[in-house]
């Protein structure tokens, strides 16, 4: 029954997605179709409605709308320019200074805004003029911008990690946030290394002259208010001063005050930001609620146990099993957004990795890292196409450069997958593991 239910879910889900049905409806309908084989229609519909309500009624979900609103306030609050100047002051002497700055600033702005696409749009626009003046290849600039933007999704505050915490049965958000730093930095560093190698090959030099400490001091002072958001919010959550939900509310207040002080947020723009955030939050929360139906169906039909038995029947080598999971997640990420993929694959794969003793925190970072790669991979690849649009180039010209970035990012994925200390080091040091 389990395999039959899984095939029904996958088949119906695939058909609905192909014909353009929204992912939330597709998940709900495919789950309902799977359970109809064992439960009458009236009971199935009633159970689906109950599970949806239960899935959306968790208090911890409040953190997601607040972080979405805080991110949108930051996007409009004049933060990107200050972060670009800050990173340029630090890394500007390296070969391909603007490429390196783009990668570093994307990591910071993506972490603050919570959106890879927003980082690619904002930071990419900021460095575009300088890159054009210095004769940088447009396709290379777009590839660097796209490849580095998702690194911020791993660095807290991260809605993807909050979603995983909920779906995985309450894995500590504070521990997940701490665990995200090193994988996020690894992703950014991989992109910076590739950018430097290509820059040297193409003759792109760093900013001339000696290192300017005065410029660094000025850029740091201008960036401190934005960077303090990460320190205040994440520091408070990790230290236990407030919960993730309370921290998200503090982030909203902080971002709003910052935007007003920078004179980039007006009453009219604030209303638009609130409306946009409400729409985005509604979609995310409804998606989480509907996915609760799928979680119940999987538990009822024992799909995770069947998949676990099938994989362990192929091999008991955890290295091979993790490799298979990575391949599946990488393929799924090219077609699905991060949030729905987390909702679908967490209940499938988490029980399996627990059988050979993997900590749920480490698996959460493996999962999110994999799915973030999908943000820059065709055919969906929203962040990739945003970067191409900002860079005024084409996919055909960008892909050759992207292949080099993919290779480096995949090396980072292997480190996160097979070296537990990469994701568990900071939580262990803080006594959370």
């Amino acid at each position: 029954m389990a395999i039959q239910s899984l095939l029904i879910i996958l088949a119906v889900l695939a058909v609905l997605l192909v014909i353009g049905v929204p992912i939330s409806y597709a998940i709900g309908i495919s789950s309902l179709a799977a359970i109809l084989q064992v439960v009458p229609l009236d009971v199935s519909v009633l159970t689906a409605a109950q599970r949806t309500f239960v899935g959306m009624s968790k208090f911890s979900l409040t953190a997601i709308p607040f972080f979405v609103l805080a991110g949108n306030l930051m996007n409009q609050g004049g933060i990107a320019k200050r972060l670009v100047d800050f990173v340029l002051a630090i890394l500007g002497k390296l070969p391909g200074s603007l490429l390196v700055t783009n990668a570093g600033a994307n990591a910071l702005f993506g972490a603050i805004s919570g959106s890879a696409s927003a980082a690619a749009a904002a930071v990419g626009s900021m460095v575009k003029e300088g890159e054009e003046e210095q004769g940088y290849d447009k396709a290379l600039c777009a590839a660097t911008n796209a490849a580095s933007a998702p690194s911020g999704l791993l660095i807290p505050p991260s809605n993807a990690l909050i979603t995983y915490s909920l779906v995985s049965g309450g894995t500590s958000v504070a521990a997940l946030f701490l665990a995200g730093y090193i994988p996020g930095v690894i992703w950014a560093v991989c992109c910076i290394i590739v950018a430097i190698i290509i820059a040297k090959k193409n003759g792109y030099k760093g900013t001339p002259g000696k290192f300017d400490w005065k410029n660094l001091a000025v850029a740091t002072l201008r960036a401190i208010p934005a960077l303090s958001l990460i320190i205040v919010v994440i520091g408070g959550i990790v230290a236990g001063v407030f919960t993730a939900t309370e921290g998200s509310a503090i982030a909203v207040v902080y971002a709003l005050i910052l935007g007003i002080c920078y004179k980039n947020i007006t009453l009219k723009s604030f209303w638009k930001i609130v409306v946009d955030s409400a729409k985005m939050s509604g979609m995310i929360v409804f998606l989480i609620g509907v996915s609760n139906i799928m979680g119940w169906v999987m538990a009822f039909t024992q799909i995770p146990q069947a998949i676990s038995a099938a994989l362990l029947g192929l091999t008991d080598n955890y290295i091979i099993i993790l490799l298979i999971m990575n391949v599946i997640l990488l393929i799924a990420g090219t077609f699905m957004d991060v949030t729905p993929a987390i909702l679908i694959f967490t209940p499938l794969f988490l029980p399996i990795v627990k059988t050979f003793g993997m900590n749920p925190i480490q698996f959460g970072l493996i999962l999110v890292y994999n799915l973030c790669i999908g943000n820059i991979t065709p055919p969906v690849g929203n962040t990739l196409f945003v970067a191409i649009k900002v860079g005024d180039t084409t996919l055909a010209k960008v892909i050759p450069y992207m292949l080099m970035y993919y290779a480096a990012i995949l090396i980072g994925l292997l480190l996160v997958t097979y070296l537990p200390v990469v994701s568990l080091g900071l939580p262990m040091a803080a006594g959370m593991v």
Side-chain angles (χ1 to χ4, degrees):
M1 184 177 70
I3 298 301
Q4 184 179 350
S5 298
L6 178 61
L7 291 175
I8 291 173
I9 290 174
L10 294 177
V12 176
L13 185 63
V15 170
L16 293 176
L17 291 178
V18 167
I19 65 177
V21 176
I23 182 68
S24 54
Y25 296 116
I27 289 175
I29 294 171
S30 61
S31 302
L32 193 59
I35 199 62
L36 279 175
Q37 62 176 322
V38 290
V39 178
L41 177 61
D42 55 344
V43 178
S44 298
V45 172
L46 180 60
T47 302
Q50 289 174 335
R51 300 314 304 173
T52 301
F53 179 78
V54 169
M56 293 191 297
S57 60
K58 297 175 182 176
F59 178 75
S60 52
L61 270 179
T62 313
I64 292 178
F66 277 128
F67 275 129
V68 169
L69 178 55
N72 286 338
L73 288 169
M74 282 290 183
N75 291 346
Q76 301 293 325
I79 304 301
K81 174 64 175 162
R82 290 167 172 80
L83 293 179
V84 168
D85 290 343
F86 172 66
V87 176
L88 183 61
I90 297 174
L91 304 177
K93 299 301 176 184
L94 294 173
S97 56
L98 291 178
L99 298 175
V100 173
T101 297
N102 194 162
N106 269 343
L108 290 177
F109 189 74
I112 291 173
S113 68
S115 170
S117 296
V123 176
S125 299
M126 291 294 168
V127 299
K128 181 180 178 181
E129 184 178 347
E131 289 170 338
E132 290 178 347
E133 289 177 354
Q134 296 184 29
Y136 281 65
D137 183 344
K138 285 185 177 181
L140 171 59
C141 296
T144 306
N145 189 25
S148 58
S151 61
L153 298 182
L154 293 160
I155 301 172
S158 168
N159 287 331
L161 293 177
I162 294 174
T163 302
Y164 171 77
S165 170
L166 293 168
V167 184
S168 63
T171 305
S172 169
V173 174
L176 285 169
F177 277 5
L178 270 183
Y181 278 107
I182 295 179
V185 170
I186 286 175
W187 184 311
V189 169
C190 287
C191 293
I192 288 173
I193 291 172
V194 173
I196 291 174
I197 292 172
I198 298 175
K200 282 187 174 181
K201 182 179 178 180
N202 293 352
Y204 301 138
K205 299 180 180 180
T207 54
K210 295 182 179 180
F211 190 87
D212 192 339
W213 289 100
K214 181 179 179 181
N215 181 45
L216 175 60
V218 172
T220 302
L221 288 173
R222 295 183 75 239
I224 280 177
L227 297 173
S228 296
L229 173 69
I230 299 177
I231 298 172
V232 171
V233 174
I234 306 307
I237 294 172
V238 171
V241 178
F242 40 73
T243 65
T245 303
E246 293 165 343
S248 65
I250 292 171
V252 170
V253 175
Y254 189 99
L256 179 59
I257 293 173
L258 209 57
I260 293 172
C261 291
Y262 289 158
K263 298 180 180 179
N264 287 311
I265 294 179
T266 62
L267 186 61
K268 183 178 179 180
S269 65
F270 176 69
W271 175 249
K272 185 178 184 303
I273 290 169
V274 170
V275 171
D276 291 343
S277 300
K279 291 179 180 177
M280 187 182 303
S281 301
M283 288 169 22
I284 295 172
V285 173
F286 179 66
L287 183 56
I288 292 174
V290 171
S291 72
N292 205 41
I293 305 172
M294 182 174 285
W296 180 81
V297 171
M298 288 182 179
F300 186 83
T301 58
Q302 297 185 325
I303 290 175
Q305 291 89 330
I307 294 176
S308 178
L311 280 177
L312 294 174
L314 291 174
T315 176
D316 58 358
N317 188 325
Y318 81 95
I319 295 177
I320 302 300
I321 292 175
L322 287 175
L323 187 61
I324 294 171
M325 288 183 181
N326 279 336
V327 171
I328 294 172
L329 291 171
L330 286 171
I331 294 172
T334 63
F335 295 95
M336 301 179 68
D337 197 11
V338 174
T339 300
I342 290 173
L343 299 172
I344 291 172
F345 288 103
T346 299
L348 283 177
F349 289 159
L350 183 57
I352 299 174
V353 298
K354 283 183 175 179
T355 61
F356 47 80
M358 177 176 285
N359 191 296
I361 295 171
Q362 183 187 357
F363 177 70
L365 270 299
I366 295 172
L367 178 66
V368 175
Y369 196 112
N370 265 295
L371 298 175
C372 282
I373 296 175
N375 269 323
I376 53 172
T377 309
V380 179
N382 295 328
T383 302
L384 174 61
F385 291 109
V386 168
I388 288 172
K389 184 176 180 180
V390 170
D392 192 24
T393 184
T394 64
L395 179 62
K397 294 179 180 177
V398 169
I399 284 297
Y401 291 114
M402 286 301 299
L403 294 176
M404 290 182 274
Y405 283 109
Y406 289 144
I409 292 168
L410 288 174
I411 291 173
L413 173 61
L414 293 176
L415 294 176
V416 175
T417 301
Y418 295 112
L419 295 179
V421 69
V422 171
S423 50
L424 297 180
L426 291 180
M428 289 175 66
M432 295 182 177
V433 177

